[in-house]
Structure formats: structure tokens, C-alpha cells
Amino acid sequence: MFRNRNQAGLLLASEVAGLNLEKPVVIGIPRGGVEVAAPIAKKLGAPLYVILPRKIGAPHNPEFAVGALAPDHTAVFDEETLDLLGLTPAALQPVIEKEKEEIKKRLELYGRWGVIPDLAGCDVILVDDGIATGQTVKAALSSLQKKTDNPLILAVPVLPEDAVPIFTALAGRLVFLEAPRYFRAVGQFYEDFSDLPHETLISLLEETNSKTQKSRSGL
């Protein structure tokens, strides 16, 4: 049980620092993943950006994820679930278009920190506060892999035991703290799982990047 996302990030930062990365860039998934990512970025002296994938919900049950969409429109789908529901990606196009607009609107809140830079030669660490279905993380990994030839690093405090081999295969390296066999939801592993307001989260991005920029310049 983690006290909060900051504590989980501090614990995870020690694990990631042990990888001795040469040119780290940390990318968090809002909102919870950014809170976890901030201590990692500070520990590594790395810039912190956000990537905002959105789940693609079933047409008659928006909360039931059948896939996810990244900001560059990279989409991933749970093919088995699509088959069971008799759905195709084409049939989900209205949902996808709606999520594209939502991503665009939300990324405007994050300003420059929502614009992923050139990642060539970088050691990219994707961070979330945990993995449940994993659809949004899969979309983010797929999108980021297009921006670098280096293997991606996925860092999460907790994920289900049976998801470990899946994400080990999808990412170049998986760093995690806990992988319980019995897993209902990410929130069950945090004492405080409340989200920061967007304004506070943007301040966290600014403060983190200000500190890491000074670190990189040797100040």
C-alpha cells in the first residue's frame, strides 16, 4: 500500500536511477502518472512531459474500454473483446473522433509540456500510477516508439501479476514495485488516490522542469 502517488514515485525513482541512463526523458500519463513521474524526473535530472492517451469505450458502454487512442492518433484495440462484441475499428470511428477532440482540448491545458520533443537518442521512461486494463499505456507505448529507435522503459508502481509478461514484451524494459496476483483496481493500492486539480498539476510540471533544467545546466 502506497501512501500517495508522490511516495510511489520516490520509491520508483530509486529503481529507475539504478539503470544509469545517459539521456533520460520522463513522460507521464495525466493525471496520476504525472504525480508519480515528477519524483523520477527530479531524481534523474530529466525533463518531464505528458502524453495523453484516451480510452476508446464501447458504443453503448463508454466506461468499458475496448481500445485506446494516443495524441498522434495511434490507436490500439483489444481484438478479442472486439470480436466478442461484434465490433470493428471502423464501427468505433464516431467514438474515436470524439476522443480526438477531447485529447486536443485537454492537451491545451498542458501547453508546451504536452508537446513531445524529438526523442532520437533519448532514454524514454513512460510513467503511470498503475496498470489495470492497460489500454491507454499500450497506446502511449505504441505512439512513443515511433519517435525513438531506443527501447522504451515503462515504469509503474503496480500492475497485475499476469500483466508482467505482456508489458515486458511491449516495452524494452519494465520497472515496477508490486505485481499482486489479486488485482481489482489501481486505487486499492493507494491510501490517497485523489487526483490533483489541473492547475496544481501544471504547477507541478513547471516546478519539476525548472529544477531539472537547473540540474542539467549544472546550476
Side-chain angles (χ1 to χ4, degrees):
M1 179 71 74
F2 306 111
R3 286 198 302 274
N4 51 38
R5 293 184 181 90
N6 183 70
Q7 188 226 11
L10 289 169
L11 294 171
L12 204 54
S14 296
E15 298 295 322
V16 176
L19 300 179
N20 297 317
L21 305 174
E22 293 185 4
K23 193 178 178 183
V25 174
V26 180
I27 301 177
I29 296 178
R31 282 182 268 175
V34 178
E35 287 187 75
V36 177
I40 298 173
K42 291 175 184 176
K43 180 82 171 180
L44 300 178
L48 172 60
Y49 294 90
V50 302
I51 186 169
L52 186 61
R54 292 279 295 175
K55 68 180 178 183
I56 299 170
H60 301 297
N61 186 1
E63 293 303 312
F64 183 68
V66 296
L69 180 74
D72 66 353
H73 301 169
T74 296
V76 299
F77 298 96
D78 183 335
E79 299 293 346
E80 184 176 341
T81 300
L82 290 187
D83 288 342
L84 287 171
L85 296 177
L87 293 171
T88 65
L92 292 166
Q93 200 57 40
V95 179
I96 292 171
E97 291 303 320
K98 181 181 178 181
E99 294 303 337
K100 285 180 182 178
E101 289 302 314
E102 187 63 25
I103 288 172
K104 181 179 178 182
K105 181 173 69 174
R106 293 195 179 206
L107 280 179
E108 289 175 357
L109 294 171
Y110 296 104
R112 56 179 172 161
W113 308 121
V115 180
I116 305 297
D118 179 15
L119 298 174
C122 296
D123 298 303
V124 180
I125 305 115
L126 176 66
V127 183
D128 205 355
D129 55 9
I131 292 176
T133 66
Q135 295 299 321
T136 52
V137 172
K138 289 177 183 178
L141 286 170
S142 183
S143 174
L144 292 173
Q145 194 61 78
K146 298 176 183 179
K147 299 179 181 292
T148 179
D149 292 330
N150 286 355
L152 299 175
I153 299 162
L154 175 60
V156 293
V158 62
L159 77 167
E161 181 182 73
D162 58 6
V164 171
I166 295 171
F167 286 93
T168 298
L170 288 174
R173 183 150 192 165
L174 173 64
V175 182
F176 64 94
L177 301 173
E178 300 289 343
R181 178 175 299 177
Y182 302 106
F183 192 107
R184 296 190 307 275
V186 173
Q188 78 185 87
F189 301 99
Y190 288 85
E191 293 177 13
D192 178 4
F193 197 60
S194 56
D195 273 328
L196 290 180
H198 279 294
E199 295 78 8
T200 306
L201 203 60
I202 292 165
S203 296
L204 178 61
L205 282 164
E206 294 286 352
E207 180 256 342
T208 299
N209 280 297
S210 176
K211 286 186 177 180
T212 59
Q213 187 175 27
K214 288 180 180 179
S215 174
R216 294 194 299 276
S217 64
L219 297 178

